[in-house]
Coordinates of all heavy atoms in Angstrom, one line a residue:
M1 N 19.2 -20.0 -7.9 CA 19.2 -19.2 -6.6 C 20.1 -19.7 -5.6 O 20.3 -20.8 -5.5 CB 17.9 -19.1 -5.9 CG 17.8 -18.1 -4.9 SD 16.0 -17.9 -4.3 CE 15.7 -19.3 -3.5
I2 N 21.1 -18.7 -5.1 CA 22.1 -19.0 -4.3 C 21.5 -18.7 -2.8 O 21.2 -17.6 -2.5 CB 23.3 -18.3 -4.4 CG1 23.8 -18.7 -5.8 CG2 24.5 -18.6 -3.4 CD1 24.8 -17.7 -6.4
M3 N 21.5 -19.8 -1.9 CA 21.0 -19.6 -0.6 C 22.4 -19.5 0.3 O 23.1 -20.5 0.3 CB 20.2 -20.7 -0.2 CG 18.7 -20.5 -0.5 SD 18.0 -19.3 0.5 CE 16.3 -19.9 0.5
D4 N 22.6 -18.4 1.1 CA 23.7 -18.3 1.9 C 23.3 -17.7 3.2 O 23.3 -16.7 3.4 CB 24.7 -17.2 1.2 CG 26.0 -17.2 1.9 OD1 26.4 -18.0 2.7 OD2 26.8 -16.1 1.7
G5 N 23.1 -18.7 4.0 CA 22.6 -18.3 5.3 C 21.3 -17.5 5.3 O 20.3 -18.0 4.5
A6 N 21.3 -16.4 5.8 CA 20.1 -15.6 5.8 C 20.0 -14.8 4.6 O 19.0 -14.2 4.3 CB 20.2 -14.6 7.0
I7 N 21.1 -14.7 3.7 CA 21.0 -13.9 2.6 C 20.6 -14.7 1.3 O 21.3 -15.7 1.0 CB 22.5 -13.3 2.3 CG1 22.9 -12.3 3.5 CG2 22.5 -12.5 1.0 CD1 24.4 -12.2 3.6
A8 N 19.6 -14.3 0.8 CA 19.2 -15.0 -0.4 C 19.0 -14.1 -1.6 O 18.5 -12.9 -1.4 CB 17.7 -15.6 -0.1
R9 N 19.4 -14.5 -2.8 CA 19.1 -13.7 -4.0 C 18.1 -14.3 -4.8 O 18.0 -15.5 -4.9 CB 20.5 -13.8 -4.8 CG 21.7 -13.1 -4.1 CD 21.6 -11.6 -4.4 NE 21.7 -11.3 -5.8 CZ 21.5 -10.0 -6.3 NH1 21.2 -9.1 -5.5 NH2 21.4 -9.9 -7.5
Y10 N 17.3 -13.5 -5.2 CA 16.1 -14.0 -6.0 C 16.2 -13.5 -7.4 O 16.6 -12.4 -7.8 CB 14.8 -13.4 -5.4 CG 14.5 -13.7 -4.1 CD1 15.0 -13.1 -2.9 CD2 13.8 -15.0 -3.9 CE1 14.7 -13.5 -1.7 CE2 13.5 -15.3 -2.5 CZ 14.0 -14.7 -1.4 OH 13.9 -15.0 -0.1
D11 N 16.1 -14.6 -8.4 CA 16.0 -14.2 -9.7 C 14.6 -13.6 -10.2 O 13.7 -13.8 -9.2 CB 16.5 -15.2 -10.7 CG 15.6 -16.4 -10.7 OD1 14.4 -16.3 -10.4 OD2 16.2 -17.5 -10.7
W12 N 14.4 -13.0 -11.3 CA 13.1 -12.4 -11.6 C 12.0 -13.4 -11.7 O 10.8 -13.1 -11.5 CB 13.3 -11.8 -13.0 CG 12.1 -10.9 -13.2 CD1 11.0 -11.2 -13.9 CD2 11.8 -9.6 -12.6 NE1 10.1 -10.3 -13.8 CE2 10.5 -9.2 -13.0 CE3 12.5 -8.8 -11.7 CZ2 9.9 -8.0 -12.6 CZ3 11.9 -7.6 -11.4 CH2 10.6 -7.3 -11.7
N13 N 12.3 -14.7 -11.8 CA 11.3 -15.7 -11.9 C 10.5 -15.8 -10.5 O 9.4 -16.3 -10.4 CB 11.7 -17.0 -12.3 CG 12.2 -17.1 -13.8 OD1 11.7 -16.2 -14.6 ND2 13.2 -17.7 -14.1
Q14 N 11.2 -15.4 -9.6 CA 10.6 -15.3 -8.1 C 9.7 -14.2 -8.1 O 9.9 -13.3 -8.9 CB 11.7 -15.3 -7.0 CG 12.9 -16.3 -7.1 CD 12.4 -17.6 -6.7 OE1 12.4 -18.6 -7.4 NE2 11.7 -17.7 -5.5
E15 N 9.0 -14.1 -6.9 CA 8.1 -12.9 -6.7 C 9.2 -11.6 -6.5 O 10.2 -11.8 -5.9 CB 7.4 -13.1 -5.4 CG 6.3 -13.9 -5.6 CD 5.0 -13.2 -6.1 OE1 4.5 -12.5 -5.2 OE2 4.6 -13.3 -7.2
P16 N 8.8 -10.5 -7.1 CA 9.6 -9.4 -6.8 C 9.6 -9.1 -5.2 O 8.5 -9.4 -4.6 CB 8.9 -8.2 -7.4 CG 8.2 -8.9 -8.5 CD 7.8 -10.2 -8.0
H17 N 10.8 -8.7 -4.6 CA 10.9 -8.8 -3.2 C 11.1 -7.4 -2.6 O 12.1 -6.8 -2.6 CB 12.0 -9.7 -2.9 CG 12.0 -10.4 -1.7 ND1 11.1 -11.5 -1.6 CD2 12.5 -10.2 -0.5 CE1 11.1 -12.0 -0.2 NE2 12.1 -11.2 0.3
D18 N 10.0 -6.9 -2.3 CA 10.1 -5.5 -1.6 C 9.9 -5.6 -0.1 O 9.4 -6.5 0.5 CB 8.9 -4.7 -2.1 CG 8.8 -4.7 -3.6 OD1 9.8 -4.9 -4.2 OD2 7.7 -4.9 -4.1
H19 N 10.5 -4.5 0.6 CA 10.6 -4.6 2.1 C 10.1 -3.3 2.7 O 10.4 -2.3 2.1 CB 11.9 -4.8 2.5 CG 12.6 -6.0 2.1 ND1 13.5 -6.1 1.0 CD2 12.5 -7.3 2.4 CE1 13.9 -7.4 0.8 NE2 13.3 -8.0 1.6
L20 N 9.5 -3.4 3.7 CA 9.1 -2.3 4.5 C 10.0 -2.4 5.7 O 10.0 -3.4 6.4 CB 7.8 -2.2 5.0 CG 6.5 -2.4 4.0 CD1 5.3 -2.3 4.8 CD2 6.7 -1.2 2.9
K21 N 11.0 -1.5 6.0 CA 11.9 -1.5 7.1 C 11.5 -0.4 8.1 O 11.4 0.9 7.9 CB 13.3 -1.2 6.5 CG 14.3 -1.4 7.6 CD 15.7 -1.3 6.9 CE 16.9 -1.4 7.8 NZ 16.8 -1.9 9.1
C22 N 11.3 -0.9 9.3 CA 10.9 0.0 10.4 C 12.2 0.6 10.9 O 13.2 0.0 11.4 CB 10.2 -0.6 11.4 SG 9.8 0.4 12.9
K23 N 12.3 2.0 11.1 CA 13.4 2.7 11.7 C 13.5 2.6 13.3 O 14.5 2.9 13.8 CB 13.4 4.1 11.2 CG 12.3 5.0 11.7 CD 12.4 6.3 11.0 CE 11.1 7.1 11.6 NZ 10.9 8.5 10.9
E24 N 12.3 2.2 13.8 CA 12.2 2.3 15.2 C 12.7 0.9 15.7 O 13.5 0.9 16.8 CB 10.7 2.4 15.8 CG 10.1 3.7 15.4 CD 10.7 4.9 16.1 OE1 11.2 4.7 17.2 OE2 10.6 6.0 15.5
C25 N 12.3 -0.3 15.3 CA 12.7 -1.5 15.9 C 13.3 -2.4 14.8 O 13.5 -3.6 15.1 CB 11.3 -2.3 16.3 SG 10.2 -2.6 15.0
D26 N 13.7 -1.7 13.7 CA 14.5 -2.6 12.5 C 13.7 -3.7 12.0 O 14.4 -4.7 11.4 CB 15.8 -3.1 13.2 CG 16.9 -2.1 12.9 OD1 16.5 -0.9 12.2 OD2 18.0 -2.2 13.3
D27 N 12.4 -3.9 12.2 CA 11.6 -4.9 11.6 C 11.6 -4.8 10.1 O 11.7 -3.8 9.7 CB 10.2 -4.8 12.1 CG 9.8 -5.8 13.2 OD1 10.9 -6.4 13.8 OD2 8.7 -6.0 13.5
M28 N 11.6 -6.1 9.5 CA 11.7 -6.0 8.0 C 10.4 -6.8 7.6 O 10.4 -7.9 8.0 CB 13.0 -6.6 7.5 CG 13.2 -6.4 6.1 SD 14.1 -4.8 5.8 CE 15.7 -5.5 5.2
I29 N 9.5 -6.2 6.9 CA 8.3 -6.8 6.5 C 8.3 -7.0 5.0 O 8.6 -6.1 4.2 CB 7.1 -5.9 6.9 CG1 7.1 -5.7 8.4 CG2 5.8 -6.6 6.4 CD1 6.5 -4.4 8.8
D30 N 8.1 -8.3 4.5 CA 8.2 -8.5 3.2 C 6.8 -8.2 2.4 O 5.8 -8.6 3.0 CB 8.3 -10.1 2.9 CG 9.7 -10.4 3.2 OD1 10.6 -9.5 3.4 OD2 10.0 -11.7 3.3
V31 N 6.9 -7.5 1.3 CA 5.7 -7.1 0.7 C 5.8 -7.3 -0.8 O 7.0 -7.3 -1.4 CB 5.3 -5.6 1.0 CG1 4.8 -5.5 2.5 CG2 6.5 -4.6 0.7
H32 N 4.8 -7.2 -1.5 CA 4.8 -7.1 -2.9 C 4.1 -6.0 -3.5 O 2.9 -5.9 -3.5 CB 4.2 -8.4 -3.5 CG 4.2 -8.6 -4.9 ND1 3.5 -9.6 -5.6 CD2 4.8 -7.9 -5.9 CE1 3.6 -9.5 -6.9 NE2 4.4 -8.4 -7.1
L33 N 4.8 -4.9 -3.8 CA 4.2 -3.7 -4.1 C 4.2 -3.3 -5.6 O 3.5 -2.7 -6.2 CB 4.9 -2.4 -3.4 CG 4.8 -2.4 -1.9 CD1 5.7 -1.4 -1.2 CD2 3.2 -2.1 -1.5
L34 N 5.3 -4.0 -6.3 CA 5.5 -3.6 -7.7 C 4.4 -4.4 -8.5 O 4.1 -5.5 -8.3 CB 6.8 -3.9 -8.2 CG 7.9 -3.1 -7.6 CD1 9.3 -3.7 -8.0 CD2 7.9 -1.7 -8.0
E35 N 3.9 -3.7 -9.6 CA 3.0 -4.4 -10.5 C 3.7 -5.5 -11.2 O 4.9 -5.6 -11.3 CB 2.5 -3.5 -11.6 CG 1.9 -2.0 -11.0 CD 0.6 -2.5 -10.4 OE1 -0.2 -3.4 -10.7 OE2 0.3 -1.7 -9.4
D36 N 3.0 -6.6 -11.6 CA 3.6 -7.7 -12.3 C 4.2 -7.4 -13.6 O 5.0 -7.9 -14.1 CB 2.4 -8.8 -12.5 CG 2.1 -9.5 -11.1 OD1 3.0 -9.5 -10.2 OD2 1.1 -9.9 -11.0
D37 N 3.8 -6.3 -14.2 CA 4.3 -5.9 -15.5 C 5.4 -4.8 -15.4 O 5.6 -4.1 -16.4 CB 3.2 -5.4 -16.5 CG 2.5 -4.3 -16.0 OD1 2.7 -3.7 -14.9 OD2 1.6 -3.7 -16.8
F38 N 5.8 -4.7 -14.2 CA 6.9 -3.7 -13.9 C 8.1 -3.7 -14.8 O 8.6 -2.7 -15.3 CB 7.2 -3.7 -12.4 CG 8.5 -2.9 -12.1 CD1 8.3 -1.6 -11.8 CD2 9.8 -3.5 -12.0 CE1 9.5 -0.7 -11.5 CE2 10.8 -2.8 -11.6 CZ 10.9 -1.5 -11.4
Q39 N 8.5 -5.0 -15.0 CA 9.7 -5.2 -15.8 C 9.5 -4.9 -17.2 O 10.4 -4.1 -17.8 CB 10.1 -6.8 -15.8 CG 11.4 -7.1 -16.4 CD 11.6 -8.6 -16.5 OE1 10.6 -9.4 -16.3 NE2 12.8 -9.0 -16.5
E40 N 8.5 -5.0 -17.7 CA 8.0 -4.7 -19.1 C 7.8 -3.1 -19.3 O 8.3 -2.5 -20.2 CB 6.7 -5.2 -19.4 CG 6.5 -5.5 -20.9 CD 5.2 -6.3 -21.2 OE1 4.9 -7.3 -20.4 OE2 4.4 -5.8 -22.0
T41 N 7.2 -2.5 -18.1 CA 7.1 -1.1 -18.2 C 8.5 -0.3 -18.2 O 8.6 0.6 -19.1 CB 6.4 -0.6 -16.9 OG1 5.1 -1.4 -16.9 CG2 6.2 0.9 -16.9
V42 N 9.4 -0.9 -17.5 CA 10.6 -0.2 -17.4 C 11.5 -0.3 -18.8 O 12.2 0.6 -19.2 CB 11.6 -0.8 -16.3 CG1 13.0 -0.3 -16.3 CG2 11.0 -0.4 -14.9
L43 N 11.3 -1.6 -19.4 CA 11.9 -1.9 -20.7 C 11.5 -0.8 -21.6 O 12.1 -0.3 -22.5 CB 11.6 -3.2 -21.0 CG 12.5 -3.8 -22.3 CD1 13.9 -3.7 -22.2 CD2 12.0 -5.2 -22.6
K44 N 10.1 -0.7 -21.8 CA 9.4 0.1 -22.7 C 9.8 1.5 -22.6 O 10.1 2.3 -23.4 CB 7.9 -0.1 -22.7 CG 7.6 -1.3 -23.4 CD 5.9 -1.4 -23.4 CE 5.4 -2.6 -24.0 NZ 4.1 -3.0 -23.5
K45 N 9.7 2.0 -21.3 CA 9.9 3.4 -20.9 C 11.2 3.9 -21.0 O 11.6 5.0 -21.5 CB 9.2 3.7 -19.5 CG 8.5 5.0 -19.4 CD 7.8 5.1 -18.1 CE 7.3 6.3 -17.8 NZ 6.7 6.5 -16.5
Y46 N 12.2 3.2 -20.5 CA 13.5 3.6 -20.3 C 14.6 2.7 -21.2 O 15.7 3.0 -21.0 CB 14.0 3.6 -19.0 CG 13.1 4.3 -18.1 CD1 12.1 3.7 -17.2 CD2 13.1 5.6 -17.8 CE1 11.2 4.4 -16.4 CE2 12.3 6.5 -17.1 CZ 11.3 5.8 -16.2 OH 10.5 6.5 -15.5
Q47 N 14.1 1.8 -22.0 CA 15.0 0.8 -22.8 C 15.9 0.3 -21.7 O 17.3 0.3 -22.0 CB 15.7 1.7 -23.7 CG 14.8 2.4 -24.7 CD 14.2 1.5 -25.7 OE1 14.7 0.9 -26.5 NE2 12.7 1.4 -25.6
F48 N 15.4 -0.3 -20.6 CA 16.4 -0.8 -19.7 C 15.7 -2.2 -19.3 O 14.7 -2.3 -18.9 CB 16.4 0.1 -18.4 CG 17.4 -0.3 -17.3 CD1 18.7 0.1 -17.4 CD2 17.0 -1.2 -16.4 CE1 19.6 -0.2 -16.3 CE2 17.9 -1.4 -15.4 CZ 19.2 -1.1 -15.3
S49 N 16.6 -3.1 -19.5 CA 16.2 -4.6 -19.0 C 16.5 -4.8 -17.6 O 17.6 -4.8 -17.1 CB 17.0 -5.6 -20.0 OG 16.7 -6.8 -19.6
V50 N 15.4 -5.0 -16.9 CA 15.5 -5.4 -15.5 C 15.9 -6.7 -15.1 O 15.4 -7.7 -15.6 CB 14.2 -5.0 -14.7 CG1 14.1 -5.3 -13.2 CG2 13.8 -3.6 -14.9
D51 N 16.9 -7.0 -14.2 CA 17.3 -8.3 -13.8 C 16.7 -8.5 -12.4 O 16.3 -9.6 -12.2 CB 18.9 -8.4 -13.8 CG 19.5 -8.5 -15.1 OD1 18.8 -9.0 -16.0 OD2 20.7 -8.3 -15.2
D52 N 16.9 -7.6 -11.7 CA 16.3 -7.8 -10.2 C 15.9 -6.6 -9.6 O 16.4 -5.4 -10.1 CB 17.6 -8.4 -9.5 CG 17.2 -9.2 -8.2 OD1 16.0 -9.1 -8.0 OD2 18.1 -9.4 -7.5
V53 N 15.0 -6.6 -8.6 CA 14.6 -5.4 -8.0 C 14.7 -5.6 -6.6 O 14.2 -6.6 -6.0 CB 13.2 -5.0 -8.3 CG1 12.7 -3.9 -7.7 CG2 13.0 -4.9 -9.9
E54 N 15.2 -4.7 -5.8 CA 15.3 -4.6 -4.4 C 14.8 -3.3 -3.9 O 15.5 -2.4 -4.2 CB 16.7 -5.0 -3.9 CG 17.0 -6.3 -4.0 CD 18.6 -6.5 -3.4 OE1 18.9 -5.8 -2.6 OE2 19.2 -7.5 -3.9
M55 N 13.6 -3.3 -3.3 CA 13.1 -2.0 -2.9 C 12.9 -2.1 -1.4 O 12.2 -3.0 -0.8 CB 11.8 -1.7 -3.6 CG 11.1 -0.4 -3.2 SD 9.9 0.1 -4.3 CE 8.7 -1.0 -4.1
T56 N 13.4 -1.1 -0.7 CA 13.1 -1.1 0.7 C 12.5 0.3 1.0 O 13.1 1.4 0.7 CB 14.5 -1.2 1.4 OG1 15.2 -2.5 1.1 CG2 14.3 -1.1 3.1
I57 N 11.4 0.3 1.7 CA 10.7 1.5 2.0 C 11.0 1.8 3.6 O 10.6 0.8 4.4 CB 9.3 1.4 1.7 CG1 9.0 1.2 0.2 CG2 8.5 2.6 2.3 CD1 7.7 0.8 -0.2
L58 N 11.7 2.9 3.9 CA 11.9 3.1 5.3 C 10.7 3.8 5.9 O 10.0 4.7 5.3 CB 13.1 3.9 5.4 CG 14.4 3.4 4.7 CD1 15.5 4.4 4.8 CD2 14.8 2.1 5.3
G59 N 10.5 3.6 7.2 CA 9.3 4.2 7.9 C 9.1 3.7 9.3 O 10.2 3.2 9.9
T60 N 7.9 3.6 9.7 CA 7.6 3.3 11.1 C 6.4 2.3 11.0 O 5.5 2.4 10.4 CB 7.1 4.5 11.9 OG1 8.1 5.6 11.8 CG2 7.0 4.1 13.2
C61 N 6.7 1.1 11.7 CA 5.7 0.1 11.6 C 4.5 0.3 12.4 O 4.6 1.3 13.3 CB 6.3 -1.3 11.9 SG 6.6 -1.8 13.6
H62 N 3.6 -0.5 12.5 CA 2.3 -0.4 13.2 C 2.5 -0.3 14.6 O 1.6 0.2 15.4 CB 1.2 -1.4 12.7 CG 1.8 -2.9 13.1 ND1 1.5 -3.4 14.3 CD2 2.6 -3.8 12.6 CE1 1.9 -4.6 14.5 NE2 2.7 -4.9 13.4
K63 N 3.6 -0.9 15.1 CA 3.8 -0.9 16.6 C 4.0 0.4 17.2 O 3.8 0.6 18.4 CB 4.9 -1.9 16.8 CG 4.6 -3.4 16.7 CD 5.8 -4.2 17.0 CE 6.5 -4.7 15.7 NZ 7.8 -5.4 16.0
H64 N 4.5 1.3 16.4 CA 4.7 2.7 17.0 C 3.8 3.8 16.5 O 4.0 4.9 16.8 CB 6.3 3.1 16.5 CG 7.1 1.8 16.5 ND1 7.7 1.3 17.6 CD2 7.6 1.0 15.5 CE1 8.5 0.3 17.3 NE2 8.4 0.1 16.0
I65 N 2.8 3.4 15.7 CA 1.9 4.5 15.2 C 0.7 4.5 16.1 O 0.1 3.4 16.4 CB 1.4 4.1 13.9 CG1 2.6 4.0 12.8 CG2 0.4 5.2 13.3 CD1 2.2 3.5 11.6
K66 N 0.5 5.6 16.8 CA -0.7 5.6 17.6 C -2.0 6.1 17.1 O -1.9 6.8 16.1 CB -0.2 6.6 18.8 CG 0.9 6.0 19.6 CD 1.2 6.7 21.0 CE 2.2 6.1 21.7 NZ 3.6 6.6 21.2
Ligands
ZN1 ZN1 8.7 -1.1 14.3

């Protein structure tokens, strides 16, 4: 893994790294949403070997939801 300041690349052995990104305050919340067998599912279903996953879900965080 290469650590370059705030930018970190994760290989698959790390936890899949998903984000919730708030459009109101730009907060980035780390979450783990994908199933652990996600890589295997993609390989079986689409014949596609996954190296890395970066998922960002855009929305509004709890601070702005009334
Ligand atoms: Zn927010």
Side-chain angles (χ1 to χ4, degrees):
M1 187 169 74
I2 299 158
M3 278 286 208
D4 182 21
I7 300 158
R9 292 278 302 167
Y10 295 89
D11 62 36
W12 188 263
N13 296 324
Q14 307 286 126
E15 285 271 287
H17 213 75
D18 313 320
H19 303 100
L20 307 179
K21 187 174 172 24
C22 176
K23 64 187 178 186
E24 301 288 338
C25 65
D26 269 357
D27 259 16
M28 196 84 118
I29 300 148
D30 290 346
V31 290
H32 182 190
L33 293 172
L34 295 174
E35 303 296 327
D36 288 333
D37 63 355
F38 169 81
Q39 187 182 20
E40 205 178 315
T41 304
V42 173
L43 184 59
K44 279 187 189 154
K45 215 170 166 180
Y46 304 104
Q47 307 285 297
F48 187 90
S49 171
V50 176
D51 285 339
D52 200 1
V53 180
E54 283 180 24
M55 181 163 70
T56 303
I57 298 169
L58 303 176
T60 308
C61 82
H62 65 94
K63 284 180 260 177
H64 322 284
I65 300 170
K66 296 193 176 82

